[in-house]
Amino acid sequence: MEAVRSFLMSRTELELQPSGAQALDKNSVFLVETLLPKKKDVLEFLGKEAKPPVREARVILFFSAQKQPNVTEFAVGPLPQPVYMRELSPRPKKHRSWSSRPMSKAERSLLYHKIKEATTPLQKFFLDTTGFSLGDCNGRCLTFTHVAPHSVESRHRATWFILQRIVRGHRLQPTGLEVLVDHGSTDVRNWRVVQVWYSGKLYNSPEELAQKYADGEVNTVALKGQLPQDKKRPQMFNKPGRKIPKPLSKSGPGVEQGNRPRYSLEGNTVIYKSWSFSFRLRPSSGLQILSVHFRNECIAYEISVQAALAVHRENTPAGEVSKTMDLGWDLGNVTHELAPGINCPETATFLDVIHYYDTNGPVRRPRALCIFEIPTGVPVNPTFNTTRKINFFSDVLGHKMVLRAISARYNFYYIWDFIFYDNGVISAQMHATGYVHTVIYTPEGLGETHLLTHQLGKSHTHLVHYRVDLDVAGTDNSFHTLQARQNTTTKPSRPRHHQATMEKIRYSQESQATFPFGQTLPPFLLFSSPKTDIWGHRRSYHLKIDSTSKQRLTPESQEDLAFSWARGNLSAQSHLLLLTHRYSLAVSKYRESERCSTSIYNQNHPWDPAVVFQDFLQDNENIEDQDLVAWVTVGFSHGPHLEAVPNMASLRDFVGFRLMPNNFFFTEKHRGPRATDIPNTESLGTGSA
């Protein structure tokens, strides 16, 4: 990363400046991360048939010190001694607009100072209505949080900000005031507050609201004081650098480990029993595992988090436009420092990661990942054979190894797990926790959960999109499903005999292998190799999707193109958000140009997004005996309730998927002793089965 930065700064024609400078009219480096080589080159190298692929970095540069500002991506290489840079073009007929860029720290800081300056006429109003203030607040402080997209119409940079009280436990409470700031210019002097909303009414400026308040023409909102502190409940947040407290005075059951763990690390590669895989935590989009093998056979080339989306439909201006795609909020960069004994077992292996995201150089994120092994809690093999009155003992205590990271964004925590089991099963899980996101009381919001005097808890839905590049025993795979059917047959002994059979359906085109929500998934989703087991069955892996959110197909809006793997609608009857995933599963042929289903630019310019997932399926390619990718969407709906105040339980809200072997292992390669070679167990008594 340092070599890339030095190379870029040496290119005088780029006119780069440090990104931390408190100005927007400058050229700066925003992101440096690994640019994966082409899959074909990687597989040839791993197969020892070719030299290592050229290592390159993906770099995002902000060019704002010019008449027409733009965002440009480059590949820089070869690493570790770069000598060239080449532009990375967007997908065909797509572009990255200046207004679509993620919000930088410098822009956020300048916005806060601009709002503080613009709301100076409202200082008395703040003190009278909230008891808190901006600036010198002596522990009773106000702050502004913002929503996304950072635009209210195409190609225009403007953001709604919500005035919040900072209360005990670092939680935020809305005050009922929101401001819309136009910050489209690179000259901060041109930024201005264009609208103010308070207690259901819009004002043209802070001065107008201040004057009407002084004249007694504003209906103020009565805010409830802070809740009494629950001293038995541990503090939810801890400032970085402080000693992490124990959650309880008396420790509960823990995880014990032998002299050393049964997994090993070689760089970013994990070896655990029969498993091997590599991993990385991308600052742009989060956790990713690569080159997944079991018993030295390939299972998947890549399994990765693509995006997380939360949509709150609220009865305020900020709530009406909010569609939070966490990829646009540095999903992988907001990793939470993991606490031993709290976020991971004390026996876990903790790993730092180094990111270059909106900084002047590489930044180390301490304990951003953890790896640990724990018992599954249930036996994986039978222990007893009751038919022969003989007890057979086997190694039944199942174990699993977990790779974990946590992303923290405002009020919500996403816990990301990839789990590896002894029997060849992989599980991807997302747990959600945090504190309840509340909105100010309005008469229109009476259908929501009333949590405090002036606060309503809004129902919302979380969605996660995964990319699963399966290579089941090789890259040539097909997709088919099995569905149970009841058949009626006639037999001499039984005139009408009902028998369940499994109906197999093969899918030959991409358009056939899409499963919209509202459609029940077949129980068996199988990705198979042309290679067979000893009985002639195609060697396969079974995809099982675990998702709990409500679904309803609804018409699209133009901005929903940015989230074409998901879309949302507000039900007029129930005032509940029913977010609609377009597909719970879509299967496509592998293409180098389709490595990500969305981009960090989609959040802030959803009307003309840089990546539209729906385009991946338009060419309707053949998917029989091809290199296939499964795109999986999972989610859950969260309806706030009093038990979720102040914190939501992570055990309740988790979703994901599992990959399970199906006729995968029994080949001549894995074949055990033949039946004639097995000794008569009648004389063995208790022993190994």
Side-chain angles (χ1 to χ4, degrees):
M1 292 180 186
E2 290 176 346
V4 170
R5 181 182 185 276
S6 297
F7 169 74
L8 293 170
M9 295 306 248
S10 69
R11 301 289 293 262
T12 56
E13 71 275 16
L14 299 177
E15 300 180 349
L16 294 174
Q17 296 183 31
S19 64
Q22 292 296 299
L24 284 188
D25 54 347
K26 66 179 188 298
N27 299 344
S28 59
V29 180
F30 183 74
L31 169 72
V32 178
E33 67 177 5
T34 303
L35 178 65
L36 287 183
K38 292 182 179 181
K39 180 178 179 179
K40 176 178 67 69
D41 297 338
V42 173
L43 293 180
E44 288 177 355
F45 165 65
L46 294 177
K48 299 182 171 40
E49 298 173 0
K51 61 182 181 180
V54 174
R55 292 174 58 203
E56 294 182 320
R58 176 198 180 197
V59 173
I60 297 178
L61 300 184
F62 286 177
F63 290 104
S64 53
Q66 52 195 48
K67 188 174 182 180
Q68 297 294 330
N70 67 78
V71 180
T72 309
E73 294 195 8
F74 295 94
V76 175
L79 301 180
Q81 300 297 328
V83 296
Y84 65 82
M85 58 188 299
R86 57 183 172 84
E87 185 173 345
L88 297 174
S89 300
R91 286 179 55 81
K93 300 181 181 180
K94 301 296 178 184
H95 67 282
R96 312 177 193 100
S97 69
W98 175 243
S99 60
S100 71
R101 72 191 186 281
M103 187 180 287
S104 65
K105 293 176 184 176
E107 188 175 12
R108 280 196 297 269
S109 177
L110 291 167
L111 276 165
Y112 180 82
H113 289 293
K114 186 67 177 181
I115 295 172
K116 185 178 176 182
E117 174 190 313
T119 56
T120 300
L122 292 172
Q123 291 307 308
K124 184 178 186 308
F125 171 81
F126 291 159
L127 279 171
D128 291 349
T129 58
T130 71
F132 287 47
S133 63
L134 289 166
D136 298 328
C137 51
N138 193 27
R140 297 175 66 82
C141 302
L142 295 171
T143 188
F144 281 95
T145 60
H146 58 278
V147 300
H150 299 304
S151 49
V152 291
E153 59 186 36
S154 181
R155 302 187 185 283
H156 183 71
R157 188 87 160 177
T159 302
W160 277 101
F161 288 80
I162 306 169
L163 184 69
Q164 310 249 30
R165 298 196 303 182
I166 305 175
V167 298
R168 184 181 293 114
H170 303 279
R171 289 184 291 273
L172 304 177
Q173 288 184 353
T175 64
L177 185 136
E178 299 177 358
V179 297
L180 177 62
V181 182
D182 182 337
H183 53 112
S185 173
T186 57
D187 188 344
V188 178
R189 294 171 296 181
N190 295 329
W191 292 1
R192 61 193 180 92
V193 174
V194 293
Q195 277 188 324
V196 179
W197 182 88
Y198 180 74
S199 190
K201 292 185 178 180
L202 283 171
Y203 302 88
N204 293 321
S205 66
E207 290 80 6
E208 182 185 358
L209 173 58
Q211 185 59 53
K212 287 186 178 294
Y213 174 70
D215 296 340
E217 299 178 18
V218 177
N219 294 324
T220 58
V221 178
L223 302 183
K224 183 179 174 64
Q226 298 184 37
L227 293 171
Q229 184 175 9
D230 183 356
K231 295 183 179 180
K232 294 182 180 180
R233 185 189 294 269
Q235 181 171 311
M236 184 175 179
F237 299 103
N238 193 62
K239 291 185 178 180
R242 289 187 180 181
K243 185 177 180 181
I244 297 175
K246 294 287 185 182
L248 298 171
S249 57
K250 293 182 179 180
S251 61
V255 177
E256 294 186 2
Q257 187 170 277
N259 295 331
R260 58 194 181 102
R262 291 191 289 183
Y263 56 83
S264 61
L265 283 167
E266 298 178 4
N268 69 323
T269 297
V270 180
I271 299 172
Y272 169 64
K273 295 185 177 179
S274 298
W275 288 104
S276 68
F277 64 92
S278 299
F279 65 88
R280 66 170 179 157
L281 185 62
R282 301 165 294 177
S284 61
S285 56
L287 196 57
Q288 177 186 45
I289 57 174
L290 299 156
S291 191
V292 181
H293 287 72
F294 187 77
R295 296 183 182 175
N296 295 319
E297 290 203 76
C298 187
I299 306 298
Y301 180 75
E302 173 194 352
I303 306 175
S304 61
V305 178
Q306 291 291 297
L309 175 66
V311 180
H312 299 258
R313 278 292 185 249
E314 299 158 2
N315 298 304
T316 72
E320 288 172 356
V321 301
S322 177
K323 281 189 178 180
T324 304
M325 188 179 72
D326 292 300
L327 191 67
W329 300 63
D330 53 331
L331 178 63
N333 192 50
V334 291
T335 47
H336 176 68
E337 182 177 353
L338 303 175
I342 301 175
N343 302 124
C344 309
E346 292 183 350
T347 57
T349 299
F350 293 87
L351 302 170
D352 298 349
V353 298
I354 299 175
H355 286 166
Y356 193 132
Y357 188 99
D358 194 17
T359 58
N360 288 323
V363 174
R364 182 178 296 275
R365 305 286 185 184
R367 292 194 293 207
L369 289 166
C370 72
I371 302 174
F372 56 92
E373 183 186 17
I374 56 174
T376 59
V378 293
V380 295
N381 292 315
T383 17
F384 300 105
N385 184 333
T386 58
T387 58
R388 297 181 180 180
K389 299 182 180 180
I390 297 175
N391 293 339
F392 288 93
F393 174 77
S394 61
D395 183 14
V396 298
L397 184 59
H399 290 82
K400 60 184 179 182
M401 190 198 68
V402 182
L403 171 66
R404 172 172 293 172
I406 297 181
S407 302
R409 173 49 68 187
Y410 277 151
N411 65 307
F412 236 83
Y413 276 36
Y414 293 109
I415 303 172
W416 307 101
D417 285 349
F418 285 117
I419 307 170
F420 300 83
Y421 295 84
D422 294 341
N423 57 356
V425 173
I426 313 170
S427 175
Q429 290 185 359
M430 184 277 285
H431 298 254
T433 183
Y435 60 88
V436 174
H437 180 270
T438 60
V439 295
I440 200 69
Y441 163 81
T442 61
E444 295 84 4
L446 283 176
E448 301 302 330
T449 304
H450 210 158
L451 299 178
L452 291 174
T453 301
H454 66 287
Q455 291 177 260
L456 299 175
K458 295 293 290 187
S459 300
H460 57 277
T461 298
H462 293 270
L463 293 177
V464 178
H465 203 216
Y466 288 94
R467 183 179 197 268
V468 187
D469 181 359
L470 284 161
D471 287 350
V472 180
T475 55
D476 292 340
N477 289 173
S478 297
F479 174 66
H480 67 272
T481 62
L482 293 178
Q483 179 78 51
R485 301 292 184 201
Q486 289 288 337
N487 294 328
T488 302
T489 60
T490 301
K491 293 184 177 181
S493 58
R494 300 183 65 182
R496 290 182 61 82
H497 176 63
H498 299 282
Q499 183 176 11
T501 60
M502 299 299 287
E503 180 184 22
K504 185 175 184 178
I505 302 175
R506 297 184 182 275
Y507 298 82
S508 60
Q509 305 297 132
E510 289 178 331
S511 61
Q512 299 170 344
T514 57
F515 297 85
F517 272 91
Q519 173 183 333
T520 302
L521 282 172
F524 290 89
L525 306 166
L526 297 169
F527 293 81
S528 60
S529 167
K531 301 173 184 177
T532 60
D533 67 4
I534 56 175
W535 310 113
H537 304 300
R538 289 177 66 117
R539 303 178 63 197
S540 306
Y541 253 75
H542 169 202
L543 171 64
K544 176 69 174 177
I545 297 175
D546 302 310
S547 184
T548 61
S549 65
K550 302 287 185 181
Q551 300 90 28
R552 178 179 296 177
L553 294 176
T554 59
E556 297 178 44
S557 65
Q558 179 65 21
E559 65 191 73
D560 285 329
L561 285 173
F563 319 101
S564 61
W565 52 273
R567 65 177 186 238
N569 176 58
L570 186 65
S571 168
Q573 291 81 13
S574 64
H575 294 281
L576 296 176
L577 176 74
L578 299 175
L579 192 69
T580 302
H581 322 27
R582 173 171 292 182
Y583 306 116
S584 57
L585 172 65
V587 181
S588 69
K589 181 181 177 180
Y590 180 93
R591 279 183 174 272
E592 285 294 336
S593 60
E594 298 174 357
R595 297 293 291 267
C596 298
S597 63
T598 184
S599 84
I600 62 174
Y601 311 107
N602 282 22
Q603 169 73 94
N604 294 324
H605 196 212
W607 297 273
D608 185 16
V611 176
V612 178
F613 174 68
Q614 184 67 17
D615 293 346
F616 294 6
L617 310 174
Q618 293 296 329
D619 46 14
N620 195 24
E621 291 196 83
N622 173 50
I623 56 172
E624 287 190 293
D625 294 331
Q626 302 289 335
D627 192 354
L628 301 184
V629 178
W631 305 90
V632 179
T633 307
V634 295
F636 65 89
S637 296
H638 181 242
H641 47 90
L642 291 174
E643 289 78 8
V645 178
N647 305 340
M648 290 173 281
S650 59
L651 291 177
R652 179 187 300 238
D653 298 322
F654 72 92
V655 290
F657 62 89
R658 287 165 284 165
L659 293 168
M660 301 176 286
N662 189 286
N663 298 323
F664 185 77
F665 297 121
F666 292 96
T667 66
E668 290 295 335
K669 178 180 177 181
H670 302 113
R671 186 170 183 167
R674 299 175 184 272
T676 55
D677 300 328
I678 299 176
N680 184 357
T681 56
E682 290 286 341
S683 61
L684 292 179
T686 302
S688 298

